[in-house]
Amino acid sequence: MPVNIDYATVYTIHSQAGILNPGDIKIGSAVQHLTGNFNTTTEPTKIDMKLNAQGMTVGDLEGFLPAVCVVLPSGS
């Protein structure tokens, strides 16, 4: 299943931290909106992301979930 990720970041060298400007993750016909920030001064790097997939059906994501290690409960 094709996945397209469109995003931009703002990274500050001095603080070694950055912001993810609103980005889109497109999986098939499904679109998710991603925002957040990251900090590379920690080990491992700290990432705080928020994903908004309001109204998206699980069927849109079904083929992609195993690739990101998401296992749905039986019967869901």
Side-chain angles (χ1 to χ4, degrees):
M1 171 159 306
V3 175
N4 293 325
I5 303 174
D6 298 320
Y7 71 97
T9 61
V10 176
Y11 180 73
T12 306
I13 294 173
H14 181 328
S15 66
Q16 296 182 1
I19 297 171
L20 175 66
N21 290 327
D24 292 332
I25 301 174
K26 299 171 188 164
I27 303 170
S29 63
V31 178
Q32 307 165 43
H33 306 289
L34 184 65
T35 59
N37 58 63
F38 57 95
N39 185 331
T40 62
T41 61
T42 62
E43 183 59 42
T45 296
K46 180 181 175 187
I47 301 174
D48 181 19
M49 298 288 166
K50 294 180 179 132
L51 181 67
N52 181 352
Q54 188 173 359
M56 183 177 294
T57 65
V58 174
D60 288 335
L61 299 174
E62 190 173 31
F64 177 74
L65 293 176
V68 291
C69 300
V70 173
V71 178
L72 297 175
S74 180
S76 61

